[in-house]
Amino acid sequence: MTRAVSPAEIPGVPPELVEAVRVRLSRAGAPPTAAQVAAALRAERAVLGDAEVLAVARTLRAHLIGAGPLESLLAEPGVTDVLVNGPRDVWVDDGRGLRRTGVTFAGDDDVRRLAQRLAAAAGRRLDDASPYVDARLAGGVRLHAVLPPVAPEGTCLSLRLPPRRTFTIEELVPSAGATVLHAIMAARLAFLVTGGTGTGKTTLLSAMLSRADQGERLLLVEDSAELHPQHPHVVRLEARPPNLEGAGGVTLRDLVRQALRMRPDRVVVGEVRGSEVVDLLAALNTGHEGGCGTLHANNAADVPARLEALACAAGLSREAVHSQIAAALDVVVHLVREPGGGPRRVSEICLLDRLPSGLVTAVPALTLDARGAVARGPAAEALASRCPATAMAFAPAPSADVTPDASRSCRGGA
């Protein structure tokens, strides 16, 4: 395992010269651009070629305003997460599962300084009095950091990159499932995209919102701006944490209420995880069709219970919660990720149905396995009646008297 190159270890450049340039730029408050680095080198009476000047500028930029030794990992194609468990324990997830990298830090103090600098760049505090932070950096990278002694093994740092582009539904979901998702959008059904951490909820929701009618106005309410639909009329509202005195915070619940006064065609909550669920359910019960959001859940069947837990904690009774869910939400699109960091995929599309007891349950309409095979569920006909465009996806299975060749053709088409 090789240690990460520090600002004083650029091949062909004396370490003391790099340090002198760093000090000079810091004192002047100048950014480490190529021009500023070249000027600082001239002031130090050093003569270097263009390649060396650019190398110094690149390295100083990474260590002064970027992610330091992690900068090269963040630039790798396909990387979605960079995880630091300690100075010599750096991992990445590039869509094929976690793998350990050769990047290391000199010690935990270096990791701590990097975490504090990134937190400060996001306008957040990270120190012994406030030993953890969750923030969004410039460019959309999501930062989470925890300091000792809360993290007894050393400073832990997590960086999650936003999608480098907005995918289409067809790129994420097999044809039958894609047909259903298109129909859900066209029919303006209210839905939740659910799943565990890292299953691709935000990516799929962005793809679905990109299919909203071009004449609709989308109001996006998020903790940090992660949704990037390709749509001409998007208005973003982003929550704000309180300042050091505990004042000035703006919650998702505050923003959902504001969104309702901004003439939305669709109200979208990037991640439903607290009392804002009450206002979202209320909004979807007052004529705002097509609202949606994401929710952490183990499986689709657990979604009503998860919503119940959040809404009851916000003051609603169990009966009121299920009445609101039944009237407000139509569909659950559940995502999973295969064990060992395998591919992310849609596993179920379910219809929310109210039982005679008054409780809401999630009934499968379409189930997709890891090979892409599609199976109709008990709610297939009910969902097809709400979304006529799903007729092909919910076509009955071939009968027993179909010829073998025709049967194979139908299966291939599915």
Side-chain angles (χ1 to χ4, degrees):
M1 183 177 295
T2 58
R3 188 163 65 84
V5 176
S6 76
E9 296 174 354
I10 302 172
V13 182
E16 61 274 11
L17 178 58
V18 178
E19 181 62 16
V21 170
R22 186 190 68 78
V23 171
R24 184 176 290 274
L25 292 178
S26 297
R27 286 175 178 171
T33 62
Q36 293 288 354
V37 167
L41 286 169
R42 285 196 299 271
E44 294 294 329
R45 302 182 184 281
V47 179
L48 296 177
D50 290 346
E52 288 81 5
V53 171
L54 290 175
V56 174
R58 211 164 30 240
T59 303
L60 288 178
R61 188 179 302 115
H63 285 266
L64 294 177
I65 62 175
L70 307 181
E71 196 76 25
S72 61
L73 300 179
L74 295 174
E76 287 186 16
V79 168
T80 59
D81 296 85
V82 177
L83 311 172
V84 181
N85 303 333
R88 292 168 178 78
D89 197 11
V90 180
W91 299 71
V92 297
D93 186 344
D94 56 4
R96 295 169 291 179
L98 290 169
R99 63 176 173 85
R100 195 169 190 165
T101 73
V103 173
T104 65
F105 292 78
D108 189 64
D109 286 346
D110 284 2
V111 184
R112 182 186 180 105
R113 279 193 293 270
L114 174 60
Q116 289 177 319
R117 179 165 57 75
L118 293 176
R124 303 293 298 276
R125 173 181 175 181
L126 182 64
D127 53 30
D128 291 339
S130 182
Y132 51 83
V133 68
D134 187 5
R136 183 172 65 89
L137 303 175
V141 175
R142 186 166 181 175
L143 161 72
H144 186 271
V146 186
L147 300 180
V150 176
E153 300 298 323
T155 302
C156 292
L157 180 63
S158 304
L159 298 172
R160 168 163 289 184
L161 282 77
R164 289 175 168 82
R165 66 182 181 90
T166 299
F167 293 88
T168 65
I169 293 177
E170 288 77 9
E171 289 178 291
L172 301 173
V173 187
S175 57
T179 299
V180 175
L181 297 184
H182 282 299
I184 288 171
M185 293 300 297
R188 294 178 55 79
L189 300 185
F191 65 92
L192 288 176
V193 179
T194 65
T197 300
T199 52
K201 300 184 295 296
T202 300
T203 300
L204 180 62
L205 182 55
S206 290
M208 293 182 69
L209 290 173
S210 297
R211 295 294 301 182
D213 188 277
Q214 301 290 288
E216 294 180 356
R217 175 175 165 93
L218 311 184
L219 260 294
L220 309 186
V221 177
E222 299 180 84
D223 254 336
S224 59
E226 295 180 325
L227 290 169
H228 298 284
Q230 296 296 310
H231 192 276
H233 199 160
V234 175
V235 179
R236 299 180 183 278
L237 300 178
E238 190 171 352
R240 184 178 69 190
N243 60 22
L244 297 181
E245 287 74 35
V250 180
T251 67
L252 285 180
R253 189 166 191 180
D254 296 329
L255 295 181
V256 171
R257 292 174 179 172
Q258 299 309 310
L260 297 180
R261 295 171 172 83
M262 297 173 69
R263 201 268 180 210
D265 288 307
R266 292 182 190 259
V267 177
V268 182
V269 178
E271 183 179 340
V272 180
R273 59 180 181 182
S275 58
E276 66 275 0
V277 68
V278 174
D279 297 284
L280 178 62
L281 292 175
L284 300 183
N285 275 313
T286 55
H288 293 88
E289 297 179 340
C292 52
T294 73
L295 176 76
H296 280 80
N298 295 327
N299 51 61
D302 288 344
V303 169
R306 179 91 171 100
L307 292 171
E308 177 186 314
L310 295 175
C312 286
L316 289 186
S317 67
R318 189 185 191 198
E319 293 76 14
V321 173
H322 283 267
S323 293
Q324 292 274 350
I325 295 172
L329 288 169
D330 300 298
V331 177
V332 171
V333 180
H334 188 73
L335 304 175
V336 298
R337 188 171 189 182
E338 296 303 314
R344 306 165 176 87
R345 63 179 180 85
V346 173
S347 65
E348 284 184 295
I349 299 174
C350 299
L351 195 66
L352 291 173
D353 187 34
R354 196 170 190 181
L355 302 173
S357 64
L359 300 181
V360 172
T361 185
V363 184
L366 201 69
T367 302
L368 299 89
D369 66 17
R371 297 168 297 150
V374 178
R376 287 161 44 96
E381 292 184 6
L383 184 54
S385 67
R386 299 190 193 186
C387 305
T390 63
M392 291 298 294
F394 290 128
S399 59
D401 59 352
V402 175
T403 64
D405 288 343
S407 177
R408 280 197 295 272
S409 176
C410 290
R411 284 199 297 270

